[in-house]
Amino acid sequence: MNRQEKITKTTGQILRENICTLFNLLNLLIAVALVYVHAWSNLFFIFVIAFNTIIGIAQEIKAKRLIEKLSLLSAPKAEVERNGKVQEIAVEEIELEDILLLDSGKQICADATVVEGTVEVNESLLTGESDAILKKAGDSLLSGSSVISGKCRAQVIHVGSDNYAAKIAREAKKTKAINSELVLSMRKVTKLTGFFIVPLGVLLFLQAYSLYDAVVTTSAGLLGMLPKGLYLLISIGLAAGIVALSRKNVLVQDLYSLENLAHVDVLCLDKTGTLTEG
């Protein structure tokens, strides 16, 4: 069977994208300077940064786990005929040219071609159409569909990620680059701040009389330039929206996907028969 493709982000990628940012770096440098002079009471801002980062990581990891479980195949085992013997094997062990033995109530767990018999199948999971389709010798059977009635023997033509059901699931699992006005705007603000923060920091530092006063005064001035509260407010607002959607069984891959949904004015749906029947 083909090795499963890694389409979703890895946990390492999620951690890196949420932790290794310019915004976090600037705040970390200020925190290090305050620790150096033991200005502990001025370090509370670091909890805001940590909380904001944790929200993003937790949401993406949760979505990753749900997406990786996404599959149109629910049958754990399949009945096959090998070397003239009937065996019950795990779906993952199905091989090319195996003969599947299918009858009423069984799910078709691999793309196959009917070699003997006649069955009626339900392909609503794949096509959205709930009408039964008659399949005879020579006709193709798609993984993810199920047998309503009849009995047949079918030869496997695709396995693993080559199966039709796997291709559909793979499309749903793909991650796309973030296209968010909020993210782009915040990154612009952070880059602009980063450009001015070094010379302003030097000037503020030179104005103070002692090392402690210099670090504390400089940190206070630079922290005011970094929009920590705005970052946290956006993260909490989006997280609250995602929690509300999850209660309605809506899967959100990325924290900022909610912003794209907010821009939707008209949602067009096909297959009205599937929405109103069955």
Side-chain angles (χ1 to χ4, degrees):
M1 190 166 180
N2 292 353
R3 184 172 60 88
Q4 186 178 6
E5 295 180 63
K6 289 291 184 182
I7 300 171
T8 57
K9 294 179 183 178
T10 64
T11 302
Q13 286 177 312
I14 293 173
L15 292 174
R16 185 169 61 252
E17 289 178 5
N18 283 274
I19 296 174
C20 301
T21 64
L22 178 61
F23 178 77
N24 286 349
L25 175 62
L26 295 175
N27 282 281
L28 178 62
L29 293 175
I30 295 172
V32 169
L34 289 171
V35 169
Y36 181 75
V37 297
H38 305 291
W40 309 113
S41 61
N42 298 91
L43 283 170
F44 288 106
F45 74 93
I46 208 68
F47 293 105
V48 176
I49 307 304
F51 186 52
N52 179 68
T53 303
I54 289 170
I55 289 175
I57 292 173
Q59 166 56 31
E60 288 198 43
I61 289 179
K62 178 184 177 182
K64 166 186 163 64
R65 290 174 177 170
L66 291 174
I67 291 168
E68 287 178 345
K69 293 178 182 178
L70 184 64
S71 175
L72 296 178
L73 300 179
S74 58
K77 294 184 179 295
E79 193 174 17
V80 302
E81 184 180 306
R82 286 181 180 173
N83 303 320
K85 296 181 180 179
V86 176
Q87 306 175 36
E88 190 175 57
I89 62 174
V91 171
E92 294 80 9
E93 297 175 4
I94 295 175
E95 298 176 356
L96 287 173
E97 300 186 356
D98 274 344
I99 299 296
L100 294 176
L101 304 180
L102 301 168
D103 53 33
S104 179
K106 288 186 177 178
Q107 186 179 47
I108 301 166
C109 44
D111 295 348
T113 301
V114 179
V115 294
E116 182 184 336
T118 303
V119 290
E120 283 187 320
V121 300
N122 182 344
E123 296 182 345
S124 59
L125 277 178
L126 308 176
T127 65
E129 298 293 349
S130 56
D131 295 336
I133 301 174
L134 183 66
K135 299 286 186 177
K136 300 176 290 186
D139 290 341
S140 297
L141 300 174
L142 297 176
S143 54
S145 53
S146 56
V147 179
I148 299 174
S149 63
K151 181 183 291 186
C152 76
R153 296 168 69 250
Q155 187 175 46
V156 175
I157 58 174
H158 293 141
V159 294
S161 59
D162 293 328
N163 277 318
Y164 188 75
K167 291 178 180 178
I168 292 179
R170 186 161 61 246
E171 287 298 316
K173 293 177 182 180
K174 282 184 178 177
T175 56
K176 298 179 180 178
I178 297 176
N179 182 23
S180 166
E181 292 179 11
L182 287 173
V183 173
L184 294 176
S185 298
M186 294 303 293
R187 284 177 179 172
K188 287 179 181 177
V189 170
T190 303
K191 286 180 180 179
L192 183 63
T193 302
F195 181 76
F196 289 107
I197 207 168
V198 174
L200 287 174
V202 172
L203 290 175
L204 289 170
F205 187 85
L206 293 175
Q207 285 181 344
Y209 296 102
S210 66
L211 179 61
Y212 179 88
D213 291 336
V215 171
V216 173
T217 303
T218 303
S219 298
L222 299 183
L223 285 173
M225 298 173 62
L226 296 170
K228 300 177 297 301
L230 186 56
Y231 263 102
L232 183 60
L233 185 62
I234 290 173
S235 295
I236 291 176
L238 293 176
I242 289 172
V243 170
L245 286 175
S246 65
R247 289 174 180 167
K248 299 180 183 295
N249 297 320
V250 177
L251 175 60
V252 181
Q253 283 196 13
D254 182 83
L255 193 66
Y256 293 92
S257 299
L258 194 64
E259 180 191 350
N260 295 328
L261 180 61
H263 292 163
V264 174
D265 295 316
V266 179
L267 181 63
C268 300
L269 300 172
D270 196 5
K271 308 294 183 187
T272 53
T274 306
L275 294 175
T276 55
E277 298 177 3

